[in-house]
Amino acid sequence: MSETTSSNGGDAPRIVRTEDVLGGDPRIDGTRISVLFVYERVEGRGLEPRAVADRHDLDVADVYRALAYYHEHPSEMAAIRDEREQNLDAARSDPAVATGPEDAPETTE
């Protein structure tokens, strides 16, 4: 199990990577909430960091740590985005993989 952290000025690392959780993507320690997820909510959707923290039962400082990690590691984040897009493209081309609600089997009542 590998683990890396960002410097956060505290004693305990809060942004961690473990291979068996979220495929090793950086995340907030003690959660399954990835750095990329936080970035997409705050900077992608324009949500306030406090709102993201409240919605996901996080300390607002951890939201800011995740954002800092995202910006301190641009090539790592780009690689994660690229891998995610490749996986989604592969899933879309495989008819056995559901990628959205339109792929759900129809039900009859």
Side-chain angles (χ1 to χ4, degrees):
M1 173 187 323
S2 71
E3 182 174 295
T4 61
T5 64
S6 66
S7 59
N8 60 27
D11 294 330
R14 296 298 300 155
I15 303 300
V16 298
R17 293 179 64 132
T18 49
E19 292 305 315
D20 61 338
V21 179
L22 299 180
D25 290 352
R27 63 184 171 82
I28 297 171
D29 192 27
T31 74
R32 294 182 57 82
I33 298 175
S34 73
V35 166
L36 186 57
F37 177 87
V38 172
Y39 170 82
E40 289 173 340
R41 296 310 173 276
V42 174
E43 297 190 23
R45 292 188 180 175
L47 297 175
E48 292 294 321
R50 169 61 67 193
V52 173
D54 290 347
R55 286 182 188 178
H56 300 286
D57 197 27
L58 299 170
D59 182 3
V60 72
D62 286 335
V63 172
Y64 284 108
R65 286 182 186 111
L67 293 171
Y69 188 97
Y70 181 92
H71 290 290
E72 290 169 353
H73 301 88
S75 56
E76 177 185 357
M77 293 294 105
I80 290 169
R81 284 179 171 282
D82 289 347
E83 181 180 3
R84 183 189 217 189
E85 194 60 37
Q86 290 172 0
N87 290 341
L88 188 55
D89 288 345
R92 284 184 183 129
S93 66
D94 183 350
V97 176
T99 59
E102 65 277 358
D103 296 331
E106 293 185 28
T107 58
T108 58
E109 293 181 36

